[in-house]
């Protein structure tokens, strides 16, 4: 059964990590390393079953292959999931045990933060392996990726606005933001500075108050965000929010946010958006600023270089729209094609033998 799934989406390697003394139970999934070592964060979550954890590792690692390829990075896709409650089960021993497993892969996989893990956890992993990014600033590293993800979403939104309104100037546009946490706070700052009006919602009243006070936003109830009379909808909280129930309620012309897996079904709901004349900025392109930022650590982190690469997401989004027009397909599918075409082309180029293949991991100067 597992091999059937692995074969269907062509995974390279699944590593089951177990350390009795620290209680580590983790899965490292490496989906594809055509472009370079697999990079993807480490998620810690109290999965209800092993099957759920394996499926998450598989789904997320494949997502990273697409995200990294579409971002123009020389990196493949992988992800780690740790079965455990981040509020109760973290320890130095657990992350060091994981670090030793990452080290044992000898650079085929590079880990980073994800839901449930932090820069401090990455610093502990770094005690055991160099194959970790997203370290704290005390290591002259990139620190919290969220503000960089926000910048990537902002430039994506500008490009999507150009497609919908003929201009990427967001002044006077109303943006409905779902979830105003780490990424969306800075996104709201960029939008406010650009002269956009903000309507926000969150399950956390403090998060709402912050953007209402700092950026003159107004707020609506959690369920009312889909009905807002806005120009742009920015999903920045949960996956699966673009579905049969919500799409018909949207009044916007653009959807662009940071949340992963926004479309409940890529083909069906990508098409529904298109049929309503809504321009969808594919999630894994729009939210790739975080991974571009952490990947910069592999060259010895340089913030201005990272920012300039994140701003290039505008051009990647350009390519998505170009492919969508070229092939008469949804932008969701076009983003996948952008990634698949790059992997395919570089696989062919790389079939040419080199005695010592140059790799992103041998350039690091950390
Ligand atoms: N932090 C990063 O650099 C990256 C984040 N993402 C994705 O972007 C999204 C946001 O990430 P963060 O800002 O880091 O997370 P966060 O946890 O700081 O923010 C999410 C916010 O959504 C709110 N929320 C939860 N359920 C909600 C609901 N039903 N309705 C409205 N609001 C709700 C939470 O209270 C929180 O304020 C996530 O889907 C994450 O996977 C993707 C790439 C990178
Ligand atoms: O942004 C990070 O820290 C790691 C990259 C990643 O796993 C993601 O973008 O989902």
């Amino acid at each position: 059964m597992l091999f059937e799934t692995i074969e269907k989406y062509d995974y390279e390697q699944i590593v089951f990590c177990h350390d009795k003394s620290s209680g580590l139970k983790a899965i490292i999934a490496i989906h594809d390393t055509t472009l370079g070592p697999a990079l993807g964060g480490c998620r810690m979550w109290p999965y209800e079953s092993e099957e759920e954890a394996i499926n998450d590792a598989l789904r997320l690692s494949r997502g990273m292959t697409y995200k990294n390829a579409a971002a123009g990075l020389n990196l493949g896709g992988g992800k780690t999931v740790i079965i455990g409650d981040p509020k109760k089960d973290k320890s130095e021993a657990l992350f060091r045990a994981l670090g030793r497993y990452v080290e044992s892969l000898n650079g085929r996989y590079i880990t980073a933060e994800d839901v449930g893990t932090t820069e401090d956890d990455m610093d502990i992993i770094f005690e055991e392996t160099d194959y970790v990014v997203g370290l704290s600033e005390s290591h002259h590293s990139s620190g919290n990726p969220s503000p960089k993800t926000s910048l990537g979403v902002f430039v994506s939104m500008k490009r999507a606005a150009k497609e919908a309104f003929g201009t990427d100037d967001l002044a006077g546009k109303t943006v409905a933001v779902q979830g105003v946490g780490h990424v969306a706070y800075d996104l709201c700052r960029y939008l406010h500075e650009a002269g956009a009006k903000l309507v926000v919602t969150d399950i956390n009243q403090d998060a709402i108050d912050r953007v209402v006070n700092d950026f003159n936003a107004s707020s609506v109830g959690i369920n009312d965000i889909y009905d807002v009379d806005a120009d742009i909808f920015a999903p920045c909280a949960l996956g699966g929010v673009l579905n049969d129930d919500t799409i018909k309620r949207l009044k916007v012309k653009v959807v662009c946010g940071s949340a992963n897996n926004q479309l409940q079904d890529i083909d069906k709901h990508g098409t529904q958006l298109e049929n309503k004349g809504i321009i969808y900025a594919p999630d894994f392109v729009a939210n790739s600023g975080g991974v571009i930022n952490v990947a910069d650590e592999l060259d010895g982190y340089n913030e201005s270089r990272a920012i300039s690469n994140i701003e290039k997401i505008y051009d990647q989004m350009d390519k998505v729209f170009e492919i969508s027009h070229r092939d008469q397909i949804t932008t969701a599918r076009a983003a996948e094609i952008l990634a698949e075409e790059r992997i395919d082309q570089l696989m062919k180029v790389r079939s040419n033998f080199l005695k010592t293949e140059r790799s992103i991991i041998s350039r690091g100067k950390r």
Side-chain angles (χ1 to χ4, degrees):
M1 181 66 186
L2 185 53
F3 267 104
E4 238 173 66
T5 316
I6 294 174
E7 201 177 335
K8 184 169 171 204
Y9 293 113
D10 206 9
Y11 291 86
E12 288 181 14
Q13 190 176 7
I14 319 290
V15 183
F16 290 86
C17 314
H18 172 247
D19 179 72
K20 199 171 176 181
S21 63
S22 63
L24 175 74
K25 279 189 194 143
I27 298 148
I28 300 174
I30 297 177
H31 175 247
D32 187 287
T33 58
T34 306
L35 297 181
L39 187 148
C42 169
R43 180 164 294 197
M44 185 166 187
W45 195 254
Y47 293 101
E48 292 197 349
S49 68
E50 287 168 15
E51 199 188 356
E52 196 192 330
I54 294 167
N55 284 339
D56 219 21
L58 293 177
R59 182 179 64 84
L60 293 166
S61 61
R62 183 164 173 264
M64 288 310 299
T65 297
Y66 280 86
K67 187 183 293 199
N68 293 340
L73 295 167
N74 292 318
L75 291 164
K79 205 91 170 187
T80 299
V81 304
I82 301 178
I83 302 173
D85 185 339
K87 294 196 186 87
K88 294 195 303 228
D89 299 329
K90 284 188 181 182
S91 67
E92 180 190 357
L94 181 124
F95 285 107
R96 289 188 75 144
L98 178 67
R100 293 176 76 82
Y101 273 102
V102 173
E103 177 66 15
S104 76
L105 292 167
N106 206 22
R108 274 178 57 69
Y109 168 69
I110 301 165
T111 198
E113 326 147 76
D114 198 84
V115 176
T117 61
T118 65
E119 298 135 75
D120 294 340
D121 304 327
M122 298 308 116
D123 286 356
I124 299 174
I125 292 174
F126 184 53
E127 297 290 330
E128 301 289 348
T129 183
D130 278 347
Y131 303 122
V132 52
V133 289
L135 303 175
S136 68
E137 284 170 28
S138 62
H139 287 278
H140 307 291
S141 287
S142 63
N144 174 14
S146 302
K148 303 298 191 301
T149 303
S150 321
L151 174 61
V153 177
F154 178 65
V155 298
S156 299
M157 198 180 278
K158 282 174 75 69
R159 181 58 190 87
K162 190 171 168 209
E163 198 70 9
F165 310 117
T167 168
D168 70 5
D169 186 354
L170 297 173
K173 295 282 182 281
T174 301
V175 186
V177 186
Q178 180 182 48
V180 277
H182 291 103
V183 175
Y185 178 81
D186 282 284
L187 174 64
C188 288
R189 180 172 55 78
Y190 284 119
L191 289 168
H192 180 64
E193 285 166 6
K197 290 182 218 135
L198 297 165
V199 182
V200 304
T201 195
D202 200 290
I203 51 171
N204 176 347
Q205 188 60 41
D206 290 344
I208 294 178
D209 291 346
R210 215 157 64 111
V211 289
V212 166
N213 292 331
D214 295 356
F215 310 126
N216 205 19
S218 55
S219 70
V220 294
I222 293 164
N223 230 323
D224 302 328
I225 197 73
Y226 305 105
D227 305 311
V228 173
D229 211 352
D231 301 292
I232 300 169
F233 173 52
C236 297
L238 309 166
V241 296
L242 300 168
N243 55 46
D244 288 347
D245 296 329
T246 58
I247 291 174
K248 58 183 178 218
R249 292 164 58 187
L250 292 176
K251 300 193 176 89
V252 296
K253 286 276 169 247
V254 169
V255 173
C256 177
S258 72
N260 280 311
N261 307 313
Q262 291 165 26
L263 298 165
Q264 197 174 69
D265 179 299
I266 290 186
D267 292 331
K268 182 180 176 192
H269 298 117
T271 305
Q272 278 184 15
L273 286 173
E274 191 175 277
N275 290 344
K276 270 197 83 167
I278 296 174
I279 303 294
Y280 171 63
D283 45 17
F284 67 81
V285 181
N287 71 18
S288 60
V291 74
I292 294 172
N293 191 54
V294 291
D296 195 86
E297 287 181 27
L298 297 165
D299 272 337
Y301 186 64
N302 176 321
E303 188 175 21
S304 51
R305 179 181 58 208
I307 288 174
S308 128
N309 284 331
I310 292 163
E311 284 168 347
K312 289 183 190 142
I313 296 175
Y314 189 100
D315 305 326
Q316 296 305 98
M317 210 46 96
D318 216 60
K319 291 182 194 159
V320 169
F321 293 123
E322 203 180 293
I323 294 171
S324 164
H325 295 309
R326 181 193 75 191
D327 295 353
Q328 295 293 300
I329 50 175
T330 65
T331 54
R333 181 66 196 126
E336 292 183 336
I337 300 269
L338 173 68
E340 286 165 7
E341 282 183 350
R342 181 160 178 257
I343 293 170
D344 213 43
Q345 282 163 0
L346 293 184
M347 191 185 302
K348 287 177 187 142
V349 170
R350 283 172 161 228
S351 65
N352 196 355
F353 174 75
L354 278 186
K355 191 172 166 208
T356 47
E357 189 79 59
R358 191 162 182 260
S359 161
I360 194 163
I361 57 172
S362 53
R363 304 205 314 254
K365 294 179 188 63
R366 204 167 56 218

